[in-house]
């Protein structure tokens, strides 16, 4: 099946990935490209339209990113968002200038041309999210204003007969409730896209592509038990069966019950060829005396690669290496050469194996977002406990066990974390939080248990809600739930006498502690 596609050009907005996610949620395939990507690479997608993201620059600055000539030359529809709107106006003869008052946060706009296809069937008064210091002072020839806010007389503009539109607000964020409907108007009515990008179509096409790529070759995959590697393994197994061998390395840094669950799900229930390696002592030795988090990451990653290499060699002639790489990883990798102001974060992933291992890569999830991976996992019949497993750092509990990593402290942390998750699920909140976990702190506090004085370690609980993991709010969990978790941890986990709850949001904090 050939899908209609949209090309999104990234000018440095922190919301660029969200634009792509919203387009995919509308069941239209899209790809996100740095704004300076060569024209032939973007046009090879044969896009039916373009979306220009926001960005931190001002269009009138000498070194500001410019609109690639091929976008307008293509004659295809364009939607400019924030900086993208200003770029469109600037390139076509409009006027952009600093606003007398910057506009950040919630705003109300009045739609002044409800007949414009972009605003079809939307309310004439819309709640939106603004984030800009410049504004359009005059629209380009052939355009007319479509909406206004108190601070932006031209909050949207368009030349409907040419399929060219710009909005000063961000339709991709959750703070613009009718943003998805606006994007659907652009995708379906303006660009003429047909919504065929579905989990079923992705599975069908992925299986066919894997069979074509691999032929009769043998594949090896490092299975972590996380959703990405699990879905990748299941897709590949559906395509080529026993040509796939999964290697699961028990690092001793996983959560309670996870090693057993991996073997049960993939070897017994799914019938996959699985090599399970108990390497707990190797990892504990590598981490002995290490407290600095980046050194923990480095040592865990290096040890994983070495063990994986040794096990793969035992399998004989292996031609392909499969990985659960997903689209945000690809986007971040492409962004490493971007200016510092345009970088958001760097990913650390233990399962990421070096390309010099001599294998050809099979990456069936390479152009999928996490929510798409979960939807495909469900369609493939994977258990909910795998599909909806919460994000887990590559180095595992090594970076949630602050300070020295020992087997005793890991078991302490595992027990506390298990209690927290049990109580969350019992309260029906397991899916209500985006991520929740326990952290073992390298401090001791005085306590009283029974008639005796204690001097034991402290556990911090962390739970956040987020739509995109770029920002996150601490979860407002019920008091009685927190009290129950605290009581159970102090009474059931030896060596802990105090529990605290982290009420920091991201930013300024991160979700993980290390």
């Amino acid at each position: 099946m050939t899908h209609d596609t949209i090309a999104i050009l990234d000018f440095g907005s922190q919301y660029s990935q969200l634009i792509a996610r919203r387009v995919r949620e509308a069941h239209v395939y899209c790809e996100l490209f740095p704004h300076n990507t060569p024209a032939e690479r973007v046009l090879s997608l044969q896009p039916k339209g373009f979306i220009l993201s926001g960005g931190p620059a001002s269009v009138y600055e000498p070194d500001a990113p410019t609109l690639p000539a091929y976008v307008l030359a293509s004659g295809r529809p364009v939607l400019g968002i924030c900086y993208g709107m200003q770029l469109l106006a600037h390139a076509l003869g409009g006027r952009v200038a600093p606003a007398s008052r910057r506009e950040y946060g919630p705003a109300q706009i009045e739609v002044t041309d409800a007949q414009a296809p972009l605003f079809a069937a939307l309310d004439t008064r819309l709640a939106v999210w603004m984030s800009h210091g410049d504004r359009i002072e005059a629209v380009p020839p052939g355009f007319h204003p479509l909406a206004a806010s108190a601070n932006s007389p031209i909050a949207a503009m368009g030349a409907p007969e040419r399929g060219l539109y710009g909005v000063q607000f961000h339709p991709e964020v959750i703070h613009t409730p009718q943003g998805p409907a606006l994007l659907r108007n652009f995708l379906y009515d303006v660009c003429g896209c047909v919504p065929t990008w579905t989990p079923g179509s992705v599975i069908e096409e992925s299986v066919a592509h894997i069979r074509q790529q691999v032929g009769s070759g043998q594949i090896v995959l490092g299975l972590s038990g996380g959703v990405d590697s699990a879905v990748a393994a299941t897709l590949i197994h559906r395509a080529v069966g026993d040509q796939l061998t999964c290697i699961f390395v028990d690092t001793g840094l996983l959560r309670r019950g996870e090693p057993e669950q991996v073997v049960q799900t993939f070897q017994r229930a799914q019938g996959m060829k699985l090599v399970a390696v108990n390497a707990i002592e190797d990892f504990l030795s590598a981490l002995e005396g290490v407290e600095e988090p980046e050194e923990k990451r480095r040592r865990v990653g290096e040890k994983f690669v070495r063990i994986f290499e040794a096990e793969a060699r035992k399998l004989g002639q292996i031609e392909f290496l499969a990985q659960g790489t997903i689209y945000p990883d690809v986007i971040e990798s492409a962004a490493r050469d971007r200016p510092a102001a345009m970088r958001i974060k760097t990913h650390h992933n233990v399962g990421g194996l070096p390309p010099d291992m001599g294998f050809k890569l099979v990456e069936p999830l390479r152009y999928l977002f996490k929510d798409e991976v979960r939807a495909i996992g469900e369609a493939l019949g994977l258990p909910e406990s795998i599909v909806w497993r919460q994000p887990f750092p590559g180095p595992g509990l090594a970076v949630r066990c602050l300070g020295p990593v020992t087997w005793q402290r890991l078991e302490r942390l595992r027990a506390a974390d298990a209690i927290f998750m049990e109580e969350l699920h019992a309260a029906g909140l397991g899916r209500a939080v985006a991520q929740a976990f326990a952290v073992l702190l390298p401090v001791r506090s005085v306590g009283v248990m029974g008639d005796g004085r204690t001097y034991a370690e402290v556990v911090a609980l962390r739970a956040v809600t987020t739509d995109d993991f770029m920002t996150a709010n601490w979860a407002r969990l019920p008091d009685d739930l927190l009290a129950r978790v605290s009581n159970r941890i102090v009474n059931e986990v030896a060596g802990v006498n105090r529990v605290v709850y982290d009420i920091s949001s991201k930013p300024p904090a991160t979700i993980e502690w290390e």
Side-chain angles (χ1 to χ4, degrees), residues 135-158:
R135 70 180 189 180
I136 310 295
E137 296 287 342
V139 299
F143 282 72
H144 65 272
L146 302 179
S149 74
N151 192 48
S152 296
I154 306 170
M157 67 178 191

Side-chain angles (χ1 to χ4, degrees), residues 3-11 16 19-20 23-24 28-35 37-53 67-68 70-71 74 76-81 183 186-187 191 193 327:
H3 300 282
D4 292 333
T5 62
I6 294 291
I8 303 168
L9 300 188
D10 181 8
F11 291 90
S16 295
I19 301 171
V23 172
R24 298 279 189 88
V28 174
Y29 183 73
C30 66
E31 289 187 28
L32 179 63
F33 301 94
H35 66 88
T37 301
E40 58 272 16
R41 170 70 184 93
V42 180
L43 294 176
S44 68
L45 198 64
Q46 297 184 324
K48 296 198 72 171
F50 297 91
I51 297 178
L52 314 177
S53 85
L67 181 64
Y70 67 81
V71 172
S74 72
R76 293 161 195 168
V78 180
L79 172 63
I81 296 174
L183 289 172
F186 178 71
L187 299 171
C191 298
C193 293
Y327 198 32

Side-chain angles (χ1 to χ4, degrees), residues 106-177:
Q108 296 284 329
I109 66 166
E110 292 286 345
V111 178
T112 55
D113 184 357
Q115 301 306 309
L118 192 67
F119 289 97
L122 270 62
D123 296 339
T124 55
R125 185 172 178 82
L126 299 175
V128 300
W129 185 262
M130 294 282 195
S131 181
H132 65 99
D134 296 335
R135 70 180 189 180
I136 310 295
E137 296 287 342
V139 299
F143 282 72
H144 65 272
L146 302 179
S149 74
N151 192 48
S152 296
I154 306 170
M157 67 178 191
E161 67 283 354
R162 297 172 63 188
L164 303 179
Y165 293 92
V167 294
Q168 187 59 74
F169 54 92
H170 288 272
E172 69 273 24
V173 303
I174 59 172
H175 309 290
T176 303

Side-chain angles (χ1 to χ4, degrees), residues 326-371:
I326 63 174
Y327 198 32
D329 302 330
V330 176
I331 293 169
E332 289 299 329
S333 294
R336 283 172 190 156
D337 294 330
R338 291 160 66 185
M342 297 169 68
R343 290 190 215 113
I344 302 297
K345 61 183 177 180
T346 300
H347 289 276
H348 300 273
N349 184 3
V350 169
L353 298 168
D356 60 0
M357 292 180 71
F359 299 117
K360 298 174 186 175
L361 286 180
V362 177
E363 296 177 312
L365 313 181
R366 185 175 177 81
Y367 291 102
L368 300 178
F369 286 101
K370 179 73 79 173
D371 49 349

